[in-house]
Amino acid sequence: MPAKNINDIVALCKRRGFIYQGSEIYGGLQGLYDYGPYGVEMMKNIRDAWWRAMVYERDDVEGMEAALISSRLLWKYSGHEAGFSDPLVECKKCGLRMRLDKMKDETKCDSCGTTDLTPPRDYQLMMGLSLGAVADGEINAYLRPETATTTFTNFKNVLDSVPHKLPFGIVQIGKAFRNEISPRGFVFRMREFEQAELQYFVRPGEDDAQYEEWKQTRMNWWITELGIPAEKLRFAPHEKLSHYAKAAFDIEYEFPDGFDEVEGLHNRQDFDLGSHTKGQGDFKIAAQVLENKESTVKLAYSDPQTGESFIPYVIETAMGVNRAMFAVMVQAYNDEDLGDGKSRIVLKLPPKLSPVKAAVIPLARNVPELLDMANGIVGDLRKLGLGRIELENSGNIGKNYRRHDEIGPPVCITVDHQTLEDGMVTLRHRDTMVQERIAATDVPARLREIVIR
Ligand code: GAP
């Protein structure tokens, strides 16, 4: 049974070193979180699973990583500077600032209930910067609010250096920044977060079929790679399409408070390359774009057969990495009744995503022979390169098992006095708590089998 309450996940994340409140020792800063020793491992595992599926297992997708800060002009022509805003309402009595479309009742303050509110105004979500020695307050750059735009502006660079025929894609994983009015739901809506986005360039006319294919590909990835059961996921169409989008669906996961977005899938037509290209007049651009006389590069594709130059359409898949990890944690969390008034909390994570792949535990603390044997096994397991392997030398086997149940290694390996006699260790399985005796020399092969299933 997945977590029924977000607070259980928040408490586990803090207790076991997955996620902490940002700026915590100075009272915290809303919408910002720091990832601890196990949180960084899980984020890395999710990124790796995504990169593997999107880049290593395909011939038609390249990776890149752009700077987090970019010129104001990128965000002017992408439409973000004028249009990336949320409607903000302020309470005149208690000063609370609220996002109009997220208020419980649009006529009353969410906190004090008064109806004395300011009229809504557009609130810019991008974080502007005055880079270099510019006049006070002059914004000449932005922290990016998505990875997508910096992929579009590098379209020609990537295509020139690594030639591809259409259709092909470019992906990025990286930070995005949004000055959200009301961050909420722990790491669900943050002001600094991470995205994993694909921009897939296709011929106009082939876009509808490609869009449908990517919808299925991405949904399958959530099920097979993140281990989320199909019935906990669904497609949700956008109620209102952005002016550039031909189609837009979200993948939603059923969090304890209900279904909510974890990934967006968009047919963006030729809006993006059309917005940023030089010589817009040379092309038939279907989407409505801002006139651009400042771009210095044509972002077009030359058909090798016909020689015709045109602006490709874009199919976008945009996943939030923090939301993916959050969904995986919610799904893996189990509060198990063990009978006799005993219970345990266990994270039943897919082994590939577990922050620790195995914990090796000498049964008694600081017994040199046990420690040597345990260290030998740790060394052998680390050579596999599967990820983090822990030596747990704190005694008290029961407490150690409980701790590791909450962190999620698929197995614990216990070394005891008998091991010194016969070379056999106890392999304890996290999900079933079943224990088996196997030869220490067989442990690496078993672990590999468990993690790379
Ligand atoms: N380039 C398109 C784009 O950025 P989006 O729907 O705004 O689309 C994509 O964002 C994904 O990024 C969302 O599905 C969500 O998982 C994640 N995301 C967006 N805003 C977020 C926030 N404030 N905090 C955490 N994740 C966020």
Side-chain angles (χ1 to χ4, degrees):
M1 279 280 277
K4 293 198 189 75
N5 190 328
I6 292 304
N7 292 336
D8 293 337
I9 301 289
V10 178
L12 175 81
C13 282
K14 160 105 183 166
R15 182 166 76 245
R16 293 300 181 197
F18 285 88
I19 304 173
Y20 313 117
Q21 175 63 58
S23 308
E24 188 178 14
I25 68 165
Y26 294 108
L29 208 47
Q30 256 201 323
L32 295 164
Y33 289 90
D34 299 338
Y35 282 66
Y38 299 121
V40 284
E41 294 293 339
M42 262 192 82
M43 287 289 279
K44 179 177 178 302
N45 294 340
I46 290 173
R47 271 185 227 119
D48 287 351
W50 190 86
W51 198 267
R52 203 167 44 240
M54 302 297 262
V55 183
Y56 297 160
E57 290 173 6
R58 307 182 61 102
D59 297 315
D60 58 350
V61 175
E62 302 293 340
M64 64 160 287
E65 184 173 325
L68 306 186
I69 299 172
S70 36
S71 160
R72 198 193 133 231
L73 293 177
L74 266 83
W75 305 103
K76 173 181 166 185
Y77 289 107
S78 69
H80 284 80
E81 197 171 51
F84 194 54
S85 55
D86 279 335
L88 170 75
V89 170
E90 263 178 89
C91 172
K92 290 188 188 163
K93 197 170 156 206
C94 74
L96 183 71
R97 305 176 105 204
M98 294 157 285
R99 200 173 128 177
L100 181 70
D101 54 331
K102 300 285 173 194
M103 287 169 74
K104 288 178 210 145
D105 173 345
E106 291 188 0
T107 62
K108 286 192 191 127
C109 172
D110 277 354
S111 172
C112 68
T114 182
T115 52
D116 198 7
L117 306 173
T118 62
R121 69 177 167 90
D122 286 339
Y123 181 80
Q124 172 54 257
L125 295 180
M126 279 198 302
M127 299 187 196
L129 298 170
S130 306
L131 214 58
V134 291
D136 266 359
E138 185 198 326
I139 288 177
N140 59 2
Y142 286 101
L143 278 169
R144 64 182 186 187
E146 59 166 18
T147 66
T149 292
T150 50
T151 300
F152 301 131
T153 53
N154 277 291
F155 170 78
K156 199 73 176 59
N157 280 335
V158 174
L159 192 58
D160 284 350
S161 47
V162 193
H164 274 279
K165 288 197 177 132
L166 290 182
F168 79 96
I170 306 174
V171 294
Q172 283 201 60
I173 299 183
K175 291 273 181 142
F177 303 83
R178 296 182 189 178
N179 197 5
E180 299 283 356
I181 297 168
S182 38
R184 69 171 174 93
F186 190 38
V187 293
F188 187 83
R189 177 162 296 125
M190 302 157 85
R191 289 184 168 136
E192 176 186 330
F193 57 98
E194 202 170 303
Q195 289 184 318
E197 294 193 294
L198 161 79
Q199 311 305 325
Y200 198 68
F201 303 99
V202 305
R203 283 173 194 277
E206 294 176 6
D207 51 313
D208 293 339
Q210 290 287 352
Y211 182 69
E212 285 312 312
E213 205 173 313
W214 275 107
K215 267 175 72 183
Q216 297 314 322
T217 302
R218 292 303 305 146
M219 181 60 97
N220 288 345
W221 183 85
W222 277 85
I223 297 165
T224 56
E225 293 299 317
L226 297 192
I228 309 273
E231 66 272 17
K232 303 285 276 179
L233 295 163
R234 71 178 186 194
F235 287 118
H238 283 201
E239 278 165 24
K240 198 168 154 254
L241 287 184
S242 306
H243 65 93
Y244 55 78
K246 191 173 163 193
F249 275 80
D250 290 334
I251 294 178
E252 293 188 338
Y253 169 71
E254 190 176 15
F255 288 96
D257 296 335
F259 276 96
D260 221 329
E261 174 189 351
V262 286
E263 174 159 345
L265 307 157
H266 316 116
N267 179 344
R268 304 179 64 107
Q269 307 179 85
D270 53 4
F271 173 77
D272 305 284
L273 297 181
S275 294
H276 292 290
T277 192
K278 176 185 169 186
Q280 286 169 320
D282 299 342
F283 306 104
K284 268 191 267 155
I285 301 173
Q288 240 194 324
V289 296
L290 205 63
E291 188 186 13
N292 188 338
K293 291 208 171 353
E294 296 180 272
S295 172
T296 59
V297 176
K298 283 196 178 181
L299 300 179
Y301 175 82
S302 274
D303 192 309
Q305 253 113 53
T306 64
E308 187 208 357
S309 203
F310 63 93
I311 306 273
Y313 273 31
V314 170
I315 306 301
E316 174 182 70
T317 75
M319 178 182 88
V321 186
N322 313 81
R323 283 192 198 175
M325 174 182 157
F326 189 23
V328 169
M329 294 282 285
V330 168
Q331 189 61 39
Y333 185 98
N334 278 263
D335 189 346
E336 277 184 3
D337 184 353
L338 302 178
D340 292 338
K342 290 189 190 138
S343 65
R344 70 166 183 159
I345 289 165
V346 55
L347 274 190
K348 294 188 171 174
L349 293 166
K352 268 192 206 149
L353 304 182
S354 293
V356 177
K357 300 299 181 239
V360 182
I361 311 174
L363 190 64
R365 194 165 161 238
N366 290 337
V367 176
E369 297 80 5
L370 293 182
L371 201 52
D372 280 356
M373 182 84 188
N375 267 320
I377 297 171
V378 166
D380 289 344
L381 296 182
R382 284 184 182 158
K383 279 188 208 136
L384 298 173
L386 294 173
R388 183 171 166 145
I389 306 292
E390 279 195 3
L391 176 79
E392 180 66 74
N393 184 29
S394 55
N396 197 329
I397 189 72
K399 267 197 186 160
N400 287 334
Y401 284 157
R402 290 293 164 272
R403 173 168 181 270
H404 285 287
D405 280 345
E406 293 194 1
I407 293 166
V411 289
C412 288
I413 297 127
T414 303
V415 176
D416 54 31
H417 289 97
Q418 187 64 33
T419 311
L420 303 176
E421 310 279 314
D422 61 9
M424 304 290 275
V425 294
T426 300
L427 191 77
R428 183 224 187 227
H429 296 265
R430 174 198 67 198
D431 294 355
T432 56
M433 293 190 292
V434 165
Q435 300 190 8
E436 53 175 324
R437 287 298 273 185
I438 69 165
T441 48
D442 289 342
V443 172
R446 279 298 295 281
L447 187 66
R448 184 198 290 278
E449 202 180 282
I450 290 166
V451 175
I452 313 179
R453 261 185 297 202

